[in-house]
Amino acid sequence: MAEFTIKTARCKGCGICVAFCPKQVLEVDELGKVQVVNREACIVCGQCELRCPDYAIFVDKGGATA
Amino acid sequence: MERSFEKYFRQNRLPHMWCPGCGNGIVTKAVIMAIEKAGFSQDNTVIVSGIGCSSRASGYMDFDTLHTAHGRAIPFATGVKMANPDLNVIVLTGDGDCTAIGGNHFIHGCRRNVDLTVVLFNNNIYGMTGGQASPMTPTGKKATTAPYGAIDRPFDACKLAEAAGATYVARSTAFHVQHLADMIKGGLDSHGFSFIEAMCQCPTAFGRNNKMADPAKMMMALRDGVMMKAAWDKLPAEKQAERFPIGVLCQKEYIDYAKAYDTVIEKAGGRA
Amino acid sequence: MSKATLMQGNEAVALGAIEAGVRFFGGYPITPSTEIAEKMAELLPEVGGRFVQMEDEIASVGAVLGASLAGAKALTATSGPGFSLKQELIGYASEAEIPAVIVDVQRVGPATGQPTSPAQGDVMQARWGTHGDHPMIAISPWTVRECFDMGIEAVNLAERFRQPVILLMDEIVGHLRERVELPEKEDIVVYPRRKPKKTREEGYQPYAVGDDLVPDIADFGTGYRIHVTGLIHDETGFPSGSPAVTRKAIDRLHQKIMIAKDEVVKTESLLLDDAEYAVVAFGGTARTAYQAVLDARRKGVKIGMLRLRTIWPFAAEAVYEVARKVKGILVPELNYGQLVGEIERAAKGACPVELLAKYNAEIFTPAEIEEAIMAMVGGNK
């Protein structure tokens, strides 16, 4: 299961991570911050982290359970 | 999990000042990734920048950092390197900073082959001042000072660098983050004037004026507007004009300026 | 004493700078200062320093400031049009507090003017050439020996105050060749580069100051990882938009010089003890003026001369002291009238101040100045 680290203070809600996620795991919430909405679908490809201009989202392979 | 590159950022300066979706943050991270890979010490590396959005990057990086005047980063960096050739010196600049007001300094830095790594954040616009045309705004694109579309021809900064004598020239984009970091790392590993053009998006000042304000869509346009050099080389000329080649565009050996000056010191009978 | 030699003013500046520890020169050729660059190109590699002929005048100062931050004492030299171009980064050096010496060998302006002819028309540019408020130090030699001494002094002042210093020469002194005896090396006092008094762990801040209000900014590459910017910044070196920080920063820039004014501002009083009239002059013009003073004395006029070694900060107190004692001050200068305004202001009406301006690309003759002295004396009878 993917493990996300989100540095909310850094996130500006630009939506780049949402757009490049191949599995629709992420959304920008009404406060303009990224949130994980479908963690089970994450394949830990790292596209979100790679292109985040604000170093706000990090994804790692986590443990087996949620 | 905390990333190892975080230590190269001044944590108390983040979040950075750039607009949501700005490519500068991505390019800055690529620079940091390259520095980490090259194994440069934070105490022995100087980051020099000019003025403009891109040049604010120096303030976020935990090294000796020098935020100079508009266009003047390369002369300052030349002085730093010549006063202490043991320092690694990296210049962060923008398309306006480097090719307009700093254009003369840029070509002469290339000509001398000073051992610097210059990363040009090319967002095709003056962002800090609100979207004026730069020498790298594509012909026909709009800017606040080109409301009917730019009639100027843009510089190809990579060709300029190569023609002026830079010994390492490469290009990549904010979409190709890992590739961009590799291109920068190649510059850090080279001795002499290394130039890397990092094409990146400015959704606020360039995008909004040109009907592409969505940062992710701008990044996809970056992806589609370039091609790896090996493939690009095989295109017919008319097709080549439609895309920019990315990758290492030029690499050659030539003595760097500080080493060349060592021979002067030797001839003068001095001690370096 | 060393052996006497025949030497040019520009050469003497270069020799002085090397003695003061200058190890970097970035420059661009321009008459009548070029000999300084040429001499530095020859001397610097001999002492392990480095010389770079830059692409323009702005780049020259840029390189000098970069070198200075990396630990090298650094100098550049220029004239007229080049001095105009250098102003941008002279302002940067003021704001970022980077030691650097800018030699300006004045020639006739405006614009290209008369490139090989003498003038003293950069007096106000030396003070106010860049935008914004900042203090300035400018010193001006009148002999070849003083070119050497001030080559050292300018570097020392720059290092002591972490401040750009203008060595304000003119074509007369720069191209003058005269017999000179240089001091023994052991008699030369050199101000060392300031070093941080705290470590990073002890909370070092690059722009924090002690009693002398001058920051001990770490050289690059010494492990302090400092940030230097031309933006208004606080003690940390990082920019601040705060009105309070802005005011404090500009205040301190001025105060660091003003609290040490006696250390900086130097004048020379010549034959002033019994003087009823005075000439106030500087640089090459002071040479001619002094001859005129001697000639007038021979004719029975009790006249002396106040020579300004320091042009900026202006020696207002010394001028006022003279103004209080004399019946008139004559100010000969090779321009349309620049320093005279400062002298009038400093005299506070204590005596009349008369301008003798010359701006035809020729130097004064002693007879011209003597004639003006006689006219001033005659007008008062």
Coordinates of all heavy atoms in Angstrom, one line a residue, chain A residues 6-63:
Chain A
I6 N 2.4 14.3 2.9 CA 2.0 15.6 2.2 C 2.3 16.7 3.2 O 1.9 16.8 4.3 CB 0.5 15.6 1.9 CG1 0.2 14.5 0.9 CG2 0.0 16.9 1.4 CD1 -1.2 14.3 0.5
K7 N 3.2 17.7 2.6 CA 3.5 18.8 3.4 C 2.5 19.9 3.0 O 2.8 20.7 2.1 CB 5.0 19.2 3.1 CG 5.9 18.1 3.5 CD 7.4 18.6 3.7 CE 8.2 17.4 4.2 NZ 9.6 17.8 4.5
T8 N 1.4 20.0 3.7 CA 0.3 20.8 3.4 C 0.7 22.3 3.3 O 0.2 23.0 2.4 CB -0.8 20.6 4.4 OG1 -1.1 19.2 4.5 CG2 -2.1 21.3 3.9
A9 N 1.6 22.7 4.2 CA 1.9 24.2 4.2 C 2.6 24.5 2.8 O 2.5 25.7 2.4 CB 2.9 24.5 5.3
R10 N 3.2 23.6 2.2 CA 3.9 23.9 0.9 C 3.0 23.8 -0.3 O 3.3 24.4 -1.3 CB 5.0 22.9 0.7 CG 6.2 23.0 1.7 CD 7.3 22.0 1.2 NE 8.5 22.0 2.1 CZ 9.5 21.2 2.0 NH1 9.5 20.3 1.0 NH2 10.5 21.2 2.8
C11 N 1.9 23.1 -0.2 CA 1.0 22.9 -1.3 C 0.3 24.1 -1.7 O -0.3 24.8 -0.9 CB 0.0 21.8 -1.0 SG -1.1 21.5 -2.4
K12 N 0.3 24.4 -3.0 CA -0.4 25.6 -3.5 C -1.6 25.2 -4.4 O -2.3 26.1 -5.0 CB 0.5 26.5 -4.3 CG 1.6 27.1 -3.4 CD 2.7 27.9 -4.3 CE 3.8 28.3 -3.4 NZ 5.0 28.5 -4.1
G13 N -1.9 23.9 -4.5 CA -3.1 23.4 -5.2 C -3.1 23.7 -6.7 O -4.1 23.9 -7.3
C14 N -1.9 23.6 -7.3 CA -1.8 23.8 -8.7 C -2.4 22.7 -9.6 O -2.7 23.0 -10.7 CB -0.3 24.0 -9.1 SG 0.7 22.5 -9.0
G15 N -2.5 21.5 -9.0 CA -3.2 20.4 -9.7 C -2.2 19.7 -10.6 O -2.7 18.8 -11.4
I16 N -0.9 19.9 -10.6 CA 0.0 19.2 -11.5 C 0.0 17.7 -11.1 O -0.1 16.8 -12.0 CB 1.4 19.8 -11.5 CG1 1.4 21.1 -12.2 CG2 2.4 18.8 -12.1 CD1 2.7 21.9 -12.2
C17 N 0.0 17.4 -9.8 CA 0.1 16.0 -9.4 C -1.2 15.3 -9.8 O -1.2 14.1 -10.2 CB 0.3 15.9 -7.9 SG -0.9 16.8 -6.9
V18 N -2.3 16.0 -9.6 CA -3.6 15.4 -10.0 C -3.7 15.0 -11.5 O -4.0 13.9 -11.9 CB -4.8 16.4 -9.6 CG1 -6.1 15.8 -10.1 CG2 -4.8 16.7 -8.2
A19 N -3.2 16.0 -12.3 CA -3.2 15.8 -13.7 C -2.3 14.7 -14.2 O -2.6 14.0 -15.2 CB -2.9 17.1 -14.5
F20 N -1.2 14.5 -13.6 CA -0.2 13.5 -14.1 C -0.4 12.1 -13.4 O 0.3 11.2 -13.8 CB 1.2 14.0 -13.9 CG 1.6 15.0 -14.9 CD1 1.7 16.3 -14.7 CD2 1.8 14.6 -16.3 CE1 2.0 17.3 -15.6 CE2 2.1 15.5 -17.3 CZ 2.2 16.9 -16.9
C21 N -1.3 12.0 -12.4 CA -1.5 10.7 -11.8 C -2.3 9.8 -12.7 O -3.4 10.2 -13.2 CB -2.3 10.9 -10.5 SG -2.8 9.3 -9.7
P22 N -1.7 8.6 -13.1 CA -2.4 7.8 -14.0 C -3.6 7.0 -13.4 O -4.3 6.4 -14.2 CB -1.3 6.8 -14.4 CG -0.3 6.8 -13.3 CD -0.4 8.1 -12.6
K23 N -3.8 7.1 -12.1 CA -4.8 6.3 -11.5 C -5.8 7.1 -10.7 O -6.6 6.6 -9.9 CB -4.2 5.2 -10.5 CG -3.2 4.2 -11.2 CD -4.1 3.2 -12.1 CE -3.1 2.3 -12.8 NZ -3.9 1.5 -13.8
Q24 N -5.9 8.4 -10.9 CA -6.8 9.3 -10.3 C -6.9 9.1 -8.8 O -7.9 9.0 -8.1 CB -8.3 9.1 -10.8 CG -8.5 9.6 -12.3 CD -7.9 8.6 -13.3 OE1 -8.2 7.4 -13.3 NE2 -7.1 9.1 -14.2
V25 N -5.7 9.1 -8.2 CA -5.6 8.9 -6.7 C -5.8 10.2 -6.0 O -6.2 10.2 -4.8 CB -4.2 8.3 -6.4 CG1 -3.9 8.3 -4.9 CG2 -4.0 6.9 -7.0
L26 N -5.5 11.3 -6.6 CA -5.4 12.6 -5.9 C -6.5 13.6 -6.4 O -7.0 13.5 -7.5 CB -4.0 13.3 -6.2 CG -2.8 12.4 -5.8 CD1 -1.5 13.0 -6.4 CD2 -2.7 12.2 -4.3
E27 N -6.8 14.5 -5.5 CA -7.7 15.7 -5.8 C -7.2 16.9 -5.1 O -6.5 16.8 -4.1 CB -9.1 15.3 -5.3 CG -10.0 14.8 -6.3 CD -11.4 14.5 -5.7 OE1 -11.8 15.2 -4.8 OE2 -12.0 13.5 -6.2
V28 N -7.6 18.0 -5.6 CA -7.4 19.3 -4.8 C -8.7 19.6 -4.1 O -9.7 19.7 -4.7 CB -7.0 20.4 -5.8 CG1 -6.8 21.8 -5.0 CG2 -5.7 20.1 -6.5
D29 N -8.6 19.8 -2.8 CA -9.8 20.0 -2.0 C -10.2 21.5 -2.0 O -9.6 22.3 -2.7 CB -9.6 19.5 -0.5 CG -8.6 20.4 0.3 OD1 -8.3 21.5 -0.2 OD2 -8.1 19.9 1.3
E30 N -11.3 21.8 -1.4 CA -11.9 23.1 -1.5 C -11.0 24.2 -0.9 O -11.2 25.4 -1.2 CB -13.3 23.1 -0.9 CG -13.5 22.8 0.5 CD -13.7 21.2 0.7 OE1 -13.2 20.4 -0.1 OE2 -14.3 20.9 1.7
L31 N -10.1 23.8 -0.1 CA -9.1 24.7 0.5 C -7.9 24.9 -0.4 O -7.0 25.6 0.0 CB -8.7 24.3 1.9 CG -9.8 24.2 3.0 CD1 -9.3 23.7 4.3 CD2 -10.4 25.6 3.2
G32 N -7.9 24.2 -1.5 CA -6.8 24.4 -2.5 C -5.6 23.6 -2.1 O -4.4 23.9 -2.4
K33 N -5.8 22.5 -1.4 CA -4.7 21.6 -1.0 C -4.9 20.2 -1.5 O -6.0 19.7 -1.6 CB -4.6 21.5 0.6 CG -4.4 22.8 1.3 CD -3.0 23.4 1.0 CE -2.8 24.7 1.8 NZ -1.5 25.3 1.6
V34 N -3.8 19.5 -1.9 CA -3.9 18.2 -2.4 C -4.4 17.2 -1.3 O -4.0 17.4 -0.1 CB -2.5 17.7 -3.0 CG1 -1.5 17.5 -1.9 CG2 -2.7 16.4 -3.8
Q35 N -5.2 16.3 -1.7 CA -5.6 15.2 -0.8 C -5.7 13.9 -1.5 O -5.9 13.8 -2.7 CB -6.9 15.5 -0.1 CG -8.1 15.7 -1.0 CD -9.4 15.9 -0.3 OE1 -9.5 15.8 1.0 NE2 -10.5 16.1 -1.0
V36 N -5.4 12.8 -0.8 CA -5.5 11.5 -1.4 C -6.9 10.9 -1.3 O -7.4 10.9 -0.2 CB -4.5 10.5 -0.6 CG1 -4.5 9.1 -1.2 CG2 -3.1 11.1 -0.6
V37 N -7.5 10.6 -2.4 CA -8.9 10.2 -2.4 C -9.0 8.7 -2.8 O -10.1 8.1 -2.6 CB -9.8 11.0 -3.3 CG1 -9.9 12.5 -2.7 CG2 -9.3 11.1 -4.7
N38 N -8.0 8.1 -3.3 CA -8.1 6.7 -3.8 C -6.8 6.0 -3.6 O -6.1 5.6 -4.6 CB -8.6 6.7 -5.2 CG -9.0 5.3 -5.7 OD1 -9.1 4.4 -4.9 ND2 -9.2 5.2 -7.0
R39 N -6.3 5.9 -2.4 CA -5.0 5.4 -2.1 C -4.8 4.0 -2.6 O -3.7 3.6 -3.0 CB -4.8 5.5 -0.5 CG -3.4 5.3 -0.1 CD -3.2 5.6 1.3 NE -2.4 4.5 1.9 CZ -2.2 4.4 3.2 NH1 -2.9 5.1 4.1 NH2 -1.4 3.4 3.7
E40 N -5.9 3.2 -2.5 CA -5.8 1.8 -2.9 C -5.3 1.7 -4.4 O -4.6 0.7 -4.8 CB -7.1 1.1 -2.8 CG -7.6 0.9 -1.3 CD -8.0 2.1 -0.6 OE1 -8.4 3.1 -1.3 OE2 -7.9 2.2 0.6
A41 N -5.7 2.7 -5.2 CA -5.4 2.6 -6.6 C -3.9 3.0 -6.9 O -3.5 2.8 -8.1 CB -6.3 3.5 -7.4
C42 N -3.3 3.6 -6.0 CA -1.9 4.1 -6.2 C -0.9 3.0 -6.6 O -0.9 2.0 -5.9 CB -1.4 4.9 -5.0 SG 0.3 5.5 -5.2
I43 N -0.1 3.2 -7.6 CA 0.9 2.2 -8.1 C 2.3 2.7 -7.7 O 3.3 2.1 -8.2 CB 0.7 1.9 -9.6 CG1 0.8 3.2 -10.4 CG2 -0.6 1.1 -9.8 CD1 0.9 3.0 -11.9
V44 N 2.4 3.8 -6.9 CA 3.6 4.3 -6.5 C 4.6 4.6 -7.7 O 5.8 4.3 -7.7 CB 4.3 3.4 -5.4 CG1 5.4 4.2 -4.6 CG2 3.3 2.8 -4.5
C45 N 4.0 5.2 -8.7 CA 4.8 5.5 -9.9 C 5.7 6.8 -9.7 O 6.7 7.0 -10.3 CB 3.9 5.7 -11.2 SG 2.9 7.1 -11.1
G46 N 5.2 7.6 -8.7 CA 6.0 8.8 -8.3 C 5.9 10.0 -9.2 O 6.6 10.9 -9.1
Q47 N 5.0 9.9 -10.2 CA 4.8 11.0 -11.1 C 4.4 12.3 -10.4 O 4.8 13.4 -10.7 CB 3.7 10.7 -12.1 CG 4.0 9.6 -13.1 CD 5.0 9.9 -14.1 OE1 4.8 10.9 -14.8 NE2 6.1 9.1 -14.2
C48 N 3.6 12.1 -9.3 CA 3.1 13.3 -8.6 C 4.3 14.0 -7.9 O 4.4 15.2 -7.9 CB 2.1 12.9 -7.5 SG 2.6 11.5 -6.4
E49 N 5.1 13.2 -7.2 CA 6.2 13.7 -6.5 C 7.2 14.3 -7.4 O 7.7 15.4 -7.1 CB 6.9 12.6 -5.7 CG 8.2 13.0 -5.0 CD 8.9 11.9 -4.2 OE1 8.2 11.0 -3.8 OE2 10.1 12.1 -4.0
L50 N 7.5 13.7 -8.5 CA 8.5 14.1 -9.5 C 8.2 15.5 -10.0 O 9.1 16.3 -10.0 CB 8.6 13.1 -10.6 CG 9.7 13.3 -11.6 CD1 11.0 13.0 -10.9 CD2 9.5 12.4 -12.8
R51 N 7.0 15.8 -10.3 CA 6.7 17.1 -10.9 C 6.1 18.1 -10.0 O 5.7 19.2 -10.4 CB 5.7 16.8 -12.1 CG 6.3 15.9 -13.2 CD 5.7 16.1 -14.5 NE 6.5 15.3 -15.5 CZ 6.3 14.0 -15.7 NH1 5.3 13.4 -15.0 NH2 7.0 13.3 -16.5
C52 N 6.0 17.8 -8.7 CA 5.4 18.8 -7.8 C 6.4 20.0 -7.7 O 7.5 19.8 -7.3 CB 5.2 18.2 -6.4 SG 4.7 19.5 -5.2
P53 N 5.9 21.2 -8.1 CA 6.8 22.3 -8.1 C 7.1 22.8 -6.6 O 7.9 23.7 -6.5 CB 6.1 23.4 -8.8 CG 4.8 22.8 -9.3 CD 4.6 21.5 -8.6
D54 N 6.3 22.3 -5.7 CA 6.4 22.9 -4.3 C 7.0 21.9 -3.3 O 6.9 22.2 -2.1 CB 5.0 23.4 -3.9 CG 4.6 24.5 -4.8 OD1 5.2 25.6 -4.6 OD2 3.7 24.3 -5.7
Y55 N 7.4 20.7 -3.7 CA 8.0 19.7 -2.8 C 7.0 19.4 -1.7 O 7.3 19.3 -0.5 CB 9.3 20.1 -2.3 CG 10.1 21.1 -3.2 CD1 10.6 22.3 -2.7 CD2 10.3 20.7 -4.5 CE1 11.2 23.2 -3.6 CE2 10.9 21.6 -5.4 CZ 11.3 22.8 -4.9 OH 12.0 23.7 -5.8
A56 N 5.7 19.2 -2.1 CA 4.7 19.1 -1.1 C 4.2 17.6 -1.0 O 3.6 17.3 0.0 CB 3.5 20.0 -1.4
I57 N 4.4 16.8 -2.0 CA 3.9 15.4 -2.0 C 5.0 14.4 -2.2 O 5.8 14.6 -3.1 CB 2.7 15.3 -2.9 CG1 2.1 13.9 -2.8 CG2 3.1 15.5 -4.4 CD1 0.7 13.8 -3.4
F58 N 5.0 13.4 -1.4 CA 6.0 12.3 -1.5 C 5.3 11.0 -1.3 O 4.4 10.9 -0.5 CB 7.1 12.5 -0.4 CG 7.7 13.8 -0.4 CD1 7.2 14.9 0.3 CD2 8.9 14.1 -1.2 CE1 7.8 16.2 0.3 CE2 9.4 15.3 -1.2 CZ 8.9 16.4 -0.5
V59 N 5.7 10.1 -2.2 CA 5.0 8.8 -2.1 C 6.1 7.6 -2.0 O 7.1 7.6 -2.7 CB 4.0 8.6 -3.3 CG1 4.7 8.7 -4.6 CG2 3.3 7.3 -3.1
D60 N 5.8 6.7 -1.1 CA 6.7 5.6 -0.9 C 5.9 4.3 -0.8 O 4.7 4.3 -0.5 CB 7.4 5.7 0.5 CG 8.4 6.8 0.4 OD1 9.5 6.7 -0.2 OD2 8.2 7.9 1.1
K61 N 6.6 3.2 -1.1 CA 5.9 1.9 -0.9 C 5.8 1.7 0.6 O 6.8 1.6 1.3 CB 6.8 0.8 -1.6 CG 6.5 0.6 -3.0 CD 7.0 -0.8 -3.5 CE 6.8 -0.9 -5.0 NZ 8.0 -0.9 -5.8
G62 N 4.6 1.5 1.1 CA 4.4 1.4 2.5 C 4.2 -0.1 2.9 O 4.6 -1.0 2.1
G63 N 3.6 -0.3 4.0 CA 3.3 -1.7 4.5 C 2.2 -2.3 3.7 O 1.6 -1.7 2.8

